[in-house]
Amino acid sequence: MRLSGGLIDRGQTLKFRWNDTWLKGHAGDTLASALVANDVKLVGRSFKYHRPRGIFSAGAEEPNALVQLRKGAAQEPNTRATVAELYEGLTATSQNHRGSLAWDLMSANDLLSPFLSAGFYYKTFMWPRAFWEKIYEPVIRASAGLGSLSGKADPDLYDHGYLHCDLLVIGAGPAGLTAARTAAQSGLRVIIADEDFLPGGRLNSETYEVDGQDGPGWAAATASELQGMDNVRLMTRTTVYGSFDSGVYGALERMTDHLADSGSKPRQVLWRIYAKRALLAAGATERSIAFGNNDRPGLMLSGAVRTYANRFAASPGQRVAVFTNNDDGWRTAQDLTAKGVTIAALIDTRADAPDSDDFRVYKGRAVADTKGRRGLKSITLENGTQVECDALAIAGGWSPNVHLTCHHRGRPVWREDIAAFVPGTDLPPGMSVAGAANGAMTLAAALKSGHEAARTIASDLGHAARGTLPQASDEQFAITPFWHVKSSKARAWVDLQNDVTTKDIKQSHTEGFRAVEHLKRYTTLGMATDQGKTSNVLGLAIMAEASGKSIPETGTTIFRPPYTPVPIGALAGRARGKDFRPFRLTPSHKWAKENGADFVETGMWLRAQWFKRPGEKGWRDSVDREVEMTRSGVGICDVTTLGKIDIQGRDAAEFLNRIYANPFAKVPVGKVRYGLMLREDGVCYDDGTTARLSENHFVMTTTTANAVTVFRNMEFARQCLWPDLDVHLISTTDGWAQFAVAGPKSRALLQKVVDIDLSNEAFPFMACGECKAFGTPARLFRISFSGELAYEIAVPARYGDSMIRALMQAGEEFDAVPYGTEALGVMRIEKGHAAGNELTGQTTAHQLGMGKMVSLKKDAIGTVLSQRPEMIRDDDLRLVGFKPVDKGAKLDAGAHFLTKGDPEDMAHDQGWMTSVAYSPELGHSIGLGYLKRGADRMGEVVRAYDPVRGKDTAVEVCSAHHIDPEGERQRG
Amino acid sequence: MADITLTAAPILGLDLTLGANTLRERDDLALVSVATPQGGEDALAKALKAGFKLAMPEPTRSTQAGDTHAIRTAADQMLLVFPHDGPDANTMVQGKLKGAGYTTDQTDVWVVIEASGPDTLAALERLCPLDLHDSAFPVGASARTVMEHMGAMILRMDADRFLLLSASSSAGSFAHALETSYKNVI
Amino acid sequence: MLINHPLLGPRDAAEFVVKGDAALIGRPDGMTASPQEMHDYAYLRDNPAGTHRELWYHEQGDRSWLVVTRDTLTHEVLDVALARDVARAEGRSR
């Protein structure tokens, strides 16, 4: 029911939909507070037994009130109603029930509870083995989980960001606000973050005064003061969910979750906060007491009842009972009384509890059982006394929120005087803790610890500490630990979210799962979305009791990130769909698109795969035509994607001589040389051509895939291995639009383009030089990947689009054709050039037939280990060519070779096919592959055995150079 | 082929107004890297002074003389940024340095985007892992880092004006990332 | 994790690529090393739980190779130096 007062805006009424009903709340409400105000008690069903459950808390610790928010694709399951801000038109539905919430068909599980105790899954689904996949898994899957996903793509936007500060204050309660103000006044750059939309923490839930102002008023004034300071960033709706290395914190800011319409802005931003220091002022969380049927709707933590009454002006009942082991429960009774709510009784486990004129007090008593299936009707004390009430506030004591102190494996320590774990001394570097999170459980103590912590941090960072300590009085805070009511006959819940009862914990002890970590895994205590915020301490106290140990001896599990759930969408940020990674486009991309190109992703590059012409039915038509026209005339291909590295320095030649396995020291100026790169273990990892433009200036090309790795390795060599060589590297991959011009008519075409003599005498095979192309400075290389007479010509990338158009125009008279990566691949297979398929990471120079290229007269990376006996065996695999005996047969890469007559097993494996293509020139399928002693088996017919595709093809071993084995074309 | 000539095109032709902010491709700027020969630090410093009136840039602080900026890009390498038209920027720099440094034309390697306006810092918070606060990254500060998985250089020209450089091949993705950042914050 | 770059100050580890044991600086001379020595260099690495000297490359930064002394248990970075300086101090030159 709605009370008077509170921090809600009664001028703004908001309609929202709960299951099938439209209800009303106010601005400033959470979904939970609005439900409380509307007397909605039953909000969900429990995980295992499908017990009716109500709202249990008023914050992030909520174990019960998990709901599905919004509709359609935007639907989000397992959202805590206690932290969901109300907005006009909000739609929420309850979850984990079949049929209606009130009549859940799965509640039959509750009757089966004797069979569903701790370790149920481990014991039950063991046998028979045949049931595993067909019966058990579907059953478990159907009953597992709580809410359900929409199954549609998330329509919301998410973003990432980076923030920097001297001090990150985590939590904007009394300690955090004071600390932030003190630090900011001392000149620090401060970020203060709180998960709530209203700064103030418990001040908004209590009836305290600070500096003569009421608590919420002081919090609002302080927050506003902070907001006005240039060196402060106050972030509400922001959960700092993890502490990572070197003072890096993860935070999730909910930007538009509280709005009906996001306005096309990101829903949430995942911040990476770099903080020189951090102050954890995350407060404390109240815990429950275990007694019979302590899970009914209407049972709520005592502090939460105060939050609903004081902040949200809502009461969970009209006759409220209080069950407490400490002074906190008394405040609830007093505050409710002041608000006009009837206190049915206050049950204090302490025999020395005080008296009250306002309500009935039972001292030294405990609640043993409750009644009311879908809402509390009465409670029964141990002595049989029955008290009628429709809500019960439970005050089991407060546990400091130590979570982030554990993220670097810090272990909390037990403090007997407050019956709680507090942060230990092994905090994450740069972190300190203040307020209730550090065990300062009263208001004055919290303010003082926040203020002093901030002063210390300011001094540590070299600032003169300033600021004043806000004044408040210390409230009563005394507790006598009391964990569970032993005389309760009915099931007593410890962990509401996972349906773990006192019996499960005792059973875990009996069956030998006594260490806290085993207890957690065996019973699932403290798992799932709430991570046991209200239940962990209770659970291990009961375990301690069962094992006759103290709580410090029993110890506690520790926490890892995230503090509260972080949506996968927020972790992904913008990296979805086409924004998953950047695209790299070649300079001729626009032209290629205009000319019918199909593109293929090679790494981040989009490359033209082939250029479809009218009438061509499939890709093979286009590719065959491109190959034929290139080999008979001239073809043009954008090869910009090849890595290009500018290498300069007095020792550049010497450096390259150590990077490449073959000799490089004496490459003449104006010449290009093919180079083979080995890893230090002697395996080939990249190849390419390097041109010497002048005495101290080379331009290297790498494969598209290895451009980054090669650059990195060369930097390593120049900085770490030979630090005094004068050699300098810089990437120019994107700087030059480079085109291969290949085919017998390439010279004729290019002679129209460039201003230098291209005759074979003036510009022979493997020549290079600077020139002008259509009047623009260019570089020309006479190299060939296709085996044809060929050149590569490069112009600054800004001229690339103009260049391809100009080349095509100049090539019209030669019927010049653009070709894509597929035709490029066909021609390199026809020519027998190794590429990615052949360079497997295990390939030796010997296997490529390049063993003799490796120079033993110099020290290059990989030379020594490339000469190990196993890597130069004569009977090793060798790269050779293959052609089908039946010329109509299509070859497949991946087929394994078998000698005729041998059985099909691994012991007789002779190698495998690496690359295949249809050769338009030869008119049949061809292949490259590794074959044992391949070089000595020319003409032999072997089987290309392919059990995956069910094929077995007779192939003849031939030279890898399927066409022009003498290389006459490229030299012509 | 006297009848065909090549024309230079900007990479994106980017010129966007986003609220009170602008994103503009600066294709009027040339970029030339200069590597310091081993043992040639002093000679290069002198040549830079003589040729461009520029001091050698420190690792996190650029130097400026007129319209020319020098950004330190590696322990033994800097990048000169200056207005220039035509493909001969490298030749021009070589002429001025007279062999004191190893130069490479980088104009076409990078896209240069000038981002300016009151929301620029907020937009960059969503992209740039570096601390761009005045105290850490004042006018003239420069750095090389990564934004949205793309390598990038950043140079602060003014309180709310930055030059951002990223690979020219992925310029479209980089501009898209910048534009998204502005849209997300304004 | 942050790495305090000797020239640039603290930078996020996301800008770096890690290679591992800094002993890789000590490459034997291929003209005089035995295959066994070169084998040990190429394959044998220390990987201690505790203080370790590692090579990190500032790929999305100034392209410096760094020697980072780091506690592999706590990720605490104890010392950072330019690998080129370390290499020279270890007697490497040309």
Side-chain angles (χ1 to χ4, degrees):
Chain A
M1 66 178 174
R2 200 55 103 172
L3 307 173
S4 62
L7 304 174
I8 50 170
D9 178 1
R10 286 165 205 270
Q12 271 194 72
T13 298
L14 306 172
K15 286 203 302 285
F16 69 101
R17 190 184 167 102
W18 167 248
N19 286 338
D20 296 327
T21 318
W22 283 96
L23 300 171
K24 284 177 187 167
H26 293 294
D29 262 325
T30 61
L31 171 59
S33 72
L35 288 171
V36 169
N38 280 284
D39 296 320
V40 174
K41 302 237 161 153
L42 173 62
V43 298
R45 290 279 175 168
S46 74
F47 176 55
K48 204 156 77 173
Y49 301 133
H50 291 254
R51 296 264 295 184
R53 290 285 166 80
I55 294 163
F56 190 65
S57 75
E61 66 271 28
E62 179 60 35
N64 283 346
L66 303 181
V67 301
Q68 284 172 183
L69 276 191
R70 299 176 192 258
K71 290 181 295 191
Q75 175 180 308
E76 184 179 48
N78 303 337
T79 305
R80 289 150 294 154
T82 49
V83 296
E85 249 175 287
L86 202 64
Y87 56 83
E88 177 67 27
L90 176 147
T91 301
T93 50
S94 54
Q95 53 188 36
N96 206 35
H97 51 85
R98 289 192 201 157
S100 75
L101 173 60
W103 303 100
D104 176 11
L105 299 173
M106 292 292 282
S107 59
N109 274 11
D110 200 20
L111 304 174
L112 299 173
S113 62
F115 307 102
L116 293 172
S117 61
F120 165 71
Y121 285 77
Y122 305 119
K123 291 167 188 165
T124 311
F125 298 120
M126 295 295 289
W127 45 261
R129 190 187 174 106
F131 278 27
W132 284 1
E133 276 185 33
K134 290 281 188 315
I135 297 174
Y136 293 155
E137 193 182 314
V139 168
I140 294 171
R141 280 192 188 283
S143 60
L146 292 164
S148 49
L149 297 166
S150 69
K152 295 170 185 155
D154 185 345
D156 288 314
L157 302 174
Y158 300 85
D159 208 354
H160 288 179
Y162 308 86
L163 297 174
H164 300 259
C165 62
D166 295 321
L167 174 63
L168 169 65
V169 179
I170 302 160
L177 286 172
T178 304
R181 189 172 67 177
T182 298
Q185 286 172 345
S186 306
L188 270 58
R189 285 171 65 197
V190 177
I191 294 175
I192 175 168
D194 197 291
E195 61 186 355
D196 203 331
F197 55 91
L198 189 67
R202 283 302 298 175
L203 285 175
N204 295 323
S205 298
E206 308 285 1
T207 50
Y208 302 147
E209 285 193 352
V210 183
D211 277 346
Q213 259 182 301
D214 65 86
W218 181 85
T222 308
S224 147
E225 184 184 346
L226 289 172
Q227 235 148 5
M229 298 174 82
D230 283 344
N231 54 334
V232 179
R233 183 170 184 137
L234 172 64
M235 303 173 77
T236 53
R237 302 185 177 98
T238 303
T239 304
V240 178
Y241 65 83
S243 163
F244 303 97
D245 292 322
S246 316
V248 175
Y249 289 80
L252 180 74
E253 184 174 10
R254 291 168 288 277
M255 311 292 282
T256 67
D257 280 353
H258 61 294
L259 303 174
D261 178 358
S262 71
S264 303
K265 297 295 183 216
R267 179 189 163 211
Q268 299 175 336
V269 177
L270 195 79
W271 295 103
R272 180 182 287 217
I273 302 177
Y274 301 86
K276 290 197 180 85
R277 305 294 292 271
L279 182 66
L280 181 69
T285 301
E286 201 172 22
R287 60 199 183 224
S288 188
I289 298 172
F291 54 91
N293 287 310
N294 63 339
D295 69 328
R296 296 195 192 283
L299 277 73
M300 189 183 276
L301 290 168
S302 161
V305 172
R306 286 206 299 289
T307 301
Y308 289 118
N310 292 326
R311 175 173 171 183
F312 297 110
S315 174
Q318 308 199 0
R319 280 178 58 81
V320 181
V322 178
F323 180 26
T324 187
N325 65 5
N326 69 93
D327 292 348
D328 192 89
W330 285 77
R331 271 195 295 286
T332 304
Q334 286 154 0
D335 286 2
L336 286 185
T337 302
K339 289 263 184 185
V341 178
T342 305
I343 298 300
L346 184 146
I347 301 96
D348 195 323
T349 57
R350 300 172 298 178
D352 59 348
D355 295 304
S356 170
D357 297 332
D358 298 325
F359 40 80
R360 176 80 191 264
V361 178
Y362 293 91
K363 301 183 201 179
R365 293 292 177 201
V367 180
D369 203 353
T370 69
K371 288 187 178 142
R373 178 135 184 87
R374 273 177 237 122
L376 184 67
K377 291 204 166 67
S378 70
I379 57 172
T380 311
L381 310 193
E382 291 164 296
N383 62 0
T385 305
Q386 197 158 322
V387 178
E388 290 199 2
C389 56
D390 55 358
L392 175 66
I394 308 167
W398 292 78
S399 300
N401 288 330
V402 299
H403 305 74
L404 266 70
T405 70
C406 300
H407 287 180
H408 297 206
R409 299 202 64 77
R411 293 231 162 240
V413 294
W414 182 252
R415 241 177 76 184
E416 199 65 45
D417 62 322
I418 57 170
F421 281 100
V422 295
T425 51
D426 46 359
L427 298 172
M431 182 191 282
S432 21
V433 193
N438 206 28
M441 306 306 277
T442 61
L443 177 56
L447 292 166
K448 185 159 181 269
S449 78
H451 177 65
E452 287 178 353
R455 286 177 65 89
T456 305
I457 291 164
S459 305
D460 284 358
L461 294 179
H463 292 251
R466 298 183 202 284
T468 51
L469 171 64
Q471 297 302 308
S473 55
D474 267 329
E475 65 278 16
Q476 293 286 318
F477 186 86
I479 181 166
T480 304
F482 183 92
W483 307 106
H484 68 121
V485 181
K486 296 184 186 66
S487 61
S488 286
K489 300 264 187 316
R491 275 176 295 164
W493 266 262
V494 176
D495 183 330
L496 292 169
Q497 186 158 96
N498 291 293
D499 274 341
V500 178
T501 65
T502 52
K503 190 177 144 229
D504 293 319
I505 293 173
K506 288 172 193 160
Q507 185 187 336
S508 177
H509 174 263
T510 308
E511 296 184 357
F513 296 93
R514 293 171 193 177
V516 285
E517 301 289 353
H518 287 162
L519 169 68
K520 176 173 177 173
R521 273 93 193 154
Y522 197 58
T523 63
T524 69
L525 171 78
M527 292 190 179
T529 65
D530 70 339
Q531 288 288 294
K533 290 187 178 68
T534 59
S535 62
N536 277 339
V537 174
L538 182 53
L540 61 93
I542 294 168
M543 173 57 82
E545 198 177 275
S547 53
K549 289 181 179 172
S550 69
I551 290 175
E553 280 171 343
T554 304
T556 175
T557 52
I558 59 175
F559 303 92
R560 59 188 170 198
Y563 172 63
T564 51
V566 177
I568 297 284
L571 294 170
R574 301 179 191 173
R576 303 196 313 189
K578 67 178 175 48
D579 290 342
F580 180 67
R581 59 176 181 183
F583 283 110
R584 301 180 75 180
L585 304 181
T586 65
S588 67
H589 185 84
K590 185 161 167 269
W591 175 88
K593 224 171 155 178
E594 291 166 11
N595 284 274
D598 264 50
F599 294 95
V600 60
E601 289 183 35
T602 52
M604 290 194 288
W605 289 101
L606 282 185
R607 297 187 72 180
Q609 210 169 359
W610 55 77
F611 296 81
K612 191 176 176 177
R613 284 190 179 171
E616 290 176 342
K617 291 190 185 68
W619 65 273
R620 262 283 305 281
D621 289 354
S622 309
V623 172
D624 288 357
R625 170 186 49 77
E626 289 169 16
V627 171
E628 282 167 359
M629 290 178 72
T630 300
R631 292 218 184 277
S632 63
V634 56
I636 299 169
C637 181
D638 190 328
V639 293
T640 301
T641 63
L642 291 179
K644 302 177 207 69
I645 302 171
D646 208 48
I647 303 170
Q648 297 190 64
R650 298 186 296 271
D651 299 315
E654 173 60 25
F655 180 74
L656 284 170
N657 204 38
R658 298 180 191 184
I659 294 295
Y660 281 127
N662 50 317
F664 250 83
K666 296 193 174 106
V667 178
V669 172
K671 281 287 188 186
V672 184
R673 186 166 289 179
Y674 172 83
L676 183 65
M677 264 184 225
L678 307 181
R679 304 190 307 221
E680 197 64 271
D681 63 4
V683 169
C684 303
Y685 89 99
D686 202 63
D687 66 348
T689 57
T690 291
R692 191 169 202 167
L693 297 181
S694 69
E695 184 64 21
N696 294 335
H697 189 186
F698 294 79
V699 175
M700 170 185 282
T701 63
T702 71
T703 60
T704 302
N706 285 332
V708 171
T709 316
V710 168
F711 193 96
R712 183 189 303 158
N713 290 344
M714 290 207 296
E715 280 288 1
F716 175 76
R718 110 185 159 96
Q719 294 179 38
C720 301
L721 300 183
W722 307 299
D724 290 339
L725 286 184
D726 184 49
V727 59
H728 301 267
L729 313 172
I730 191 161
S731 170
T732 56
T733 302
D734 286 13
W736 296 88
Q738 193 151 323
F739 299 94
V741 182
K745 294 177 183 166
S746 58
R747 177 181 289 130
L749 167 55
L750 279 176
Q751 193 62 78
K752 289 174 64 181
V753 174
V754 299
D755 60 345
I756 56 173
D757 179 6
L758 292 187
S759 68
N760 209 25
E761 297 70 40
F763 205 78
F765 184 54
M766 299 308 259
C768 70
E770 293 179 327
C771 62
K772 285 196 167 159
F774 302 111
T776 295
R779 288 173 177 171
L780 187 66
F781 312 88
R782 191 171 158 194
I783 50 182
S784 175
F785 198 47
S786 57
E788 296 299 326
L789 168 68
Y791 303 81
E792 288 186 12
I793 185 158
V795 293
R798 75 194 95 152
Y799 298 99
D801 180 74
S802 183
M803 179 69 172
I804 183 67
R805 293 172 201 275
L807 278 175
M808 292 307 296
Q809 188 185 337
E812 264 171 29
E813 63 176 285
F814 309 103
D815 214 6
V817 63
Y819 65 94
T821 54
E822 279 299 323
L824 180 96
V826 169
M827 289 190 277
R828 74 100 189 159
I829 294 168
E830 286 180 331
K831 182 61 187 169
H833 284 308
N837 290 12
E838 283 72 39
L839 299 174
T840 63
Q842 296 176 310
T843 309
T844 65
H846 192 67
Q847 289 168 346
L848 291 173
M850 296 181 183
K852 291 202 173 68
M853 273 178 65
V854 178
S855 166
L856 304 181
K857 294 180 184 156
K858 61 168 188 167
D859 177 20
I861 304 282
T863 307
V864 173
L865 294 182
S866 76
Q867 299 304 305
R868 285 177 288 175
E870 281 297 316
M871 295 174 75
I872 49 174
R873 284 166 65 123
D874 283 337
D875 59 351
D876 196 8
L877 297 168
R878 282 296 285 269
L879 185 68
V880 288
F882 297 89
K883 52 190 176 188
V885 172
D886 167 7
K887 291 290 185 290
K890 180 178 167 296
L891 302 182
D892 293 294
H896 276 247
F897 300 121
L898 291 170
T899 304
K900 272 186 156 179
D902 275 354
E904 299 96 355
D905 57 29
M906 284 307 293
H908 294 85
D909 182 37
Q910 296 288 297
W912 69 97
M913 194 87 83
T914 54
S915 300
V916 297
Y918 174 79
S919 168
E921 176 156 333
L922 300 175
H924 58 78
S925 191
I926 57 170
L928 297 176
Y930 290 114
L931 180 69
K932 282 185 182 167
R933 297 184 296 102
D936 305 328
R937 296 168 75 169
M938 292 298 148
E940 182 182 335
V941 173
V942 297
R943 292 165 64 189
Y945 178 66
D946 190 350
V948 175
R949 297 182 183 88
K951 290 175 73 172
D952 192 351
T953 314
V955 292
E956 184 188 328
V957 182
C958 61
S959 164
H961 309 295
H962 291 279
I963 59 141
D964 189 28
E966 304 304 320
E968 284 162 6
R969 296 185 193 175
Q970 61 195 19
R971 291 193 176 81
Chain B
M1 294 288 289
D3 52 332
I4 304 180
T5 53
L6 300 185
T7 50
I11 299 160
L12 301 165
L14 183 75
D15 190 0
L16 266 183
T17 302
L18 298 153
N21 312 281
T22 55
L23 280 179
R24 189 160 62 96
E25 183 181 344
R26 290 290 304 271
D27 65 340
D28 57 320
L29 296 176
L31 313 171
V32 176
S33 68
V34 183
T36 314
Q38 289 226 359
E41 291 81 4
D42 293 345
L44 179 58
K46 275 182 198 150
L48 197 63
K49 199 75 186 168
F52 292 93
K53 299 189 172 62
L54 275 171
M56 291 284 276
E58 294 299 311
T60 58
R61 292 284 180 278
S62 65
T63 55
Q64 184 181 358
D67 288 339
T68 306
H69 299 261
I71 302 170
R72 184 85 160 260
T73 46
D76 52 3
Q77 185 193 81
M78 68 181 128
L79 187 71
L80 300 180
V81 183
F82 52 92
H84 185 82
D85 195 18
D88 57 345
N90 188 46
T91 315
M92 189 277 276
V93 173
Q94 277 178 334
K96 290 202 175 192
L97 294 182
K98 300 182 167 55
Y102 302 114
T103 66
T104 303
D105 199 318
Q106 291 275 295
T107 310
D108 297 82
V109 176
W110 304 86
V111 64
V112 184
I113 296 175
E114 184 178 289
S116 63
D119 302 305
T120 301
L121 279 170
L124 288 173
E125 257 176 17
R126 302 290 176 90
L127 274 183
C128 175
L130 304 178
D131 187 358
L132 300 181
H133 190 266
D134 292 338
S135 61
F137 205 82
V139 172
S142 62
R144 201 163 165 172
T145 183
V146 61
M147 300 185 193
E148 205 60 26
H149 314 289
M150 287 169 275
M153 265 190 257
I154 176 166
L155 172 67
R156 189 172 204 158
M157 310 289 282
D158 228 322
D160 57 3
R161 190 161 62 94
F162 293 83
L163 278 193
L164 298 164
L165 281 69
S166 193
S168 60
S169 61
S170 48
S173 297
F174 189 69
H176 171 67
L178 267 171
E179 188 184 342
T180 304
S181 292
Y182 276 102
K183 284 183 174 166
N184 285 354
V185 300
I186 56 178
Chain C
M1 196 171 86
L2 298 180
I3 292 173
N4 193 12
H5 192 297
L7 301 175
L8 308 175
R11 302 290 289 258
D12 197 302
E15 293 179 346
F16 293 81
V17 173
V18 66
K19 188 177 175 84
D21 194 349
L24 282 167
I25 291 174
R27 182 180 183 275
D29 181 342
M31 298 310 287
T32 56
S34 67
Q36 186 61 46
E37 280 174 286
M38 198 55 94
H39 167 276
D40 291 354
Y41 167 75
Y43 289 106
L44 302 185
R45 308 266 204 290
D46 280 341
N47 186 20
T51 304
H52 192 29
R53 288 170 75 244
E54 294 172 332
L55 284 161
W56 289 73
Y57 176 52
H58 199 196
E59 185 148 271
Q60 300 290 8
D62 76 345
R63 314 277 165 134
S64 286
W65 278 92
L66 304 178
V67 174
V68 177
T69 307
R70 192 172 73 99
D71 188 323
T72 58
L73 290 175
T74 64
H75 297 180
E76 185 185 2
V77 175
L78 303 163
D79 185 60
V80 187
L82 291 174
R84 181 172 244 163
D85 294 344
V86 173
R88 282 176 176 148
E90 289 177 8
R92 304 197 70 86
S93 77
R94 292 173 62 83

